[in-house]
Amino acid sequence: MFDSVDSEVPKAIVLGAAAGGGFPQWNCGCPVCSLAWNGDPRVIPRTQSSVAVTGDGATWILLNASPDLGQQIRATPALRPHPSSPRGRHSPLVAVVLTNADVDHIAGLLSLRERQPLRIVALGPVHAALDANPVFEVLARDVVEREIARPGRAFEIATGVSLEIFAVPGKAPLYAEGEDPEIGHESGETAGVMVEAGSTRLAYLPACADLTPSLVKRLARADVVLFDGTLFTDDEMVRAGLGLKTGRRMGHVPISGAGGSLEMVRNLPARRKVYIHINNTNPILIAGSPQRRMLDEAGIEVAHDGMEIEL
Ligand code: MLT
Ligand code: MN
Ligand code: ZN
């Protein structure tokens, strides 16, 4: 409809590379956040978890809607409204795909409430969480369509982009998990996305409790893998005195250690392997740290806001 915005398409842009809370987190004085608060050049602040994907440069799909979405759109020229739109209102965003219903992935929906036609696409349990919360009714259902995706079924979502949403080991959202949540089930409360654009497949899994053999097989078909890099060490937050929960308890397989993601991800055939959804305590955020060097040596990148990935 409009002149092409960008010749370097298809592509993905990381809008927010941090986990819930962002980096630095508003109330955190942990050693890694302290570096960021002090402006240490070894660290770069990051907003909360989201990626945008386009096949044609004109229409974009949002993968998760973070509480920082307004700031992320303002920082990303490709996502601005087109100035000559006949309606006076316009957005290149045509759909939002949700991988779970955690606050860091859905709160940004509230910033998309100005009667802009959109599709919200997710597995059933994520829609159930939205449906259960009347605040999301600000997204008027006559213009914002809520679409339940069939797990593992690929469909075209925008010009030049098809995608598939599949359940991965996970858990209920933090605010709905109750006393003794089941961790690691594949009920659709936590999902991964396989995006196909051009001749490239990009897998995006910002939360994943376990890399099962069937999941590893699925990821082996991707050319680009963006994987859950929440914590480096399973008990990182417990040891820092910041919480009582391990990464696994939070539904995030840690990077290091036996059964950690590093040993699996490093061996995937993808041409780019990237950790994303990184918690502010994670030392991979520090350029030159021993943990970051381990990733450098394994050929794995650390996502940052604004990172562009050609598809
Ligand atoms: C998580 O990834 O574990 C959640 O975003 C936690 C939260 O909602 O803060
Ligand atoms: Mn999260
Ligand atoms: Zn911190």
Side-chain angles (χ1 to χ4, degrees):
M1 181 165 46
F2 302 117
D3 299 341
S4 177
V5 184
D6 196 332
S7 54
E8 309 269 301
V9 295
K11 72 173 165 191
I13 302 180
V14 174
L15 300 183
F23 173 60
Q25 178 173 309
W26 71 282
N27 64 346
C28 193
C30 78
V32 191
C33 282
S34 296
L35 293 178
W37 292 125
N38 293 329
D40 190 301
R42 289 171 297 171
V43 299
I44 313 169
R46 286 164 171 83
T47 60
Q48 293 169 83
S49 189
S50 179
V51 171
V53 181
T54 188
D56 62 1
T59 53
W60 289 75
I61 317 301
L62 199 58
L63 307 179
N64 291 322
S66 117
D68 303 317
L69 182 57
Q71 176 187 343
Q72 292 167 345
I73 289 173
R74 287 186 284 273
T76 310
L79 299 183
R80 289 179 191 169
H82 197 284
S84 63
S85 161
R87 284 177 62 238
R89 291 269 169 90
H90 167 261
S91 172
L93 294 173
V94 295
V96 185
V97 175
L98 302 172
T99 63
N100 64 24
D102 269 319
V103 170
D104 56 348
H105 290 159
I106 64 170
L109 291 173
L110 302 176
S111 301
L112 300 175
R113 67 186 177 282
E114 282 83 13
R115 290 196 66 79
Q116 182 67 33
L118 274 176
R119 292 157 70 190
I120 302 175
V121 186
L123 297 182
V126 173
H127 276 296
L130 299 183
D131 289 344
N133 191 331
V135 73
F136 292 105
E137 299 305 321
V138 295
L139 295 156
R141 289 188 190 241
D142 59 326
V143 286
V144 179
E145 190 187 336
R146 300 192 186 191
E147 198 176 311
I148 298 179
R150 304 253 294 277
R153 185 69 65 89
F155 63 99
E156 189 173 23
I157 190 161
T159 312
V161 185
S162 67
L163 64 81
E164 179 188 335
I165 310 180
F166 49 93
V168 303
K171 68 167 188 65
L174 178 60
Y175 55 85
E177 67 176 32
E179 286 284 290
D180 188 21
E182 193 186 330
I183 311 288
H185 58 169
E186 298 187 40
S187 59
E189 277 165 315
T190 307
V193 180
M194 185 76 83
V195 177
E196 197 166 343
S199 53
T200 302
R201 284 206 196 97
L202 173 145
Y204 170 62
L205 293 84
C208 182
D210 188 21
L211 268 161
T212 60
S214 63
L215 180 54
V216 172
K217 218 169 126 192
R218 194 190 278 276
L219 296 182
R221 298 202 297 266
D223 305 286
V224 177
V225 174
L226 305 181
F227 192 79
D228 184 342
T230 308
L231 299 187
F232 189 80
T233 312
D234 197 34
D235 63 356
E236 175 177 310
M237 296 191 64
V238 183
R239 276 201 285 165
L242 298 170
L244 300 171
K245 290 182 195 164
T246 62
R248 286 193 166 88
R249 168 62 186 79
M250 294 189 290
H252 297 290
V253 59
I255 294 174
S256 67
S261 61
L262 180 56
E263 56 190 36
M264 299 292 188
V265 172
R266 71 183 309 155
N267 292 320
L268 290 171
R271 68 173 151 83
R272 288 186 77 172
K273 299 169 245 190
V274 183
Y275 277 121
I276 197 159
H277 188 280
I278 305 155
N279 195 59
N280 57 77
T281 51
N282 191 329
I284 67 170
L285 289 167
I286 308 169
S289 68
Q291 296 84 355
R292 176 74 154 261
R293 285 208 304 270
M294 268 173 80
L295 302 192
D296 294 343
E297 280 156 23
I300 304 177
E301 301 170 76
V302 176
H304 56 85
D305 294 13
M307 178 184 230
E308 297 202 4
I309 298 170
E310 244 181 82
L311 302 178

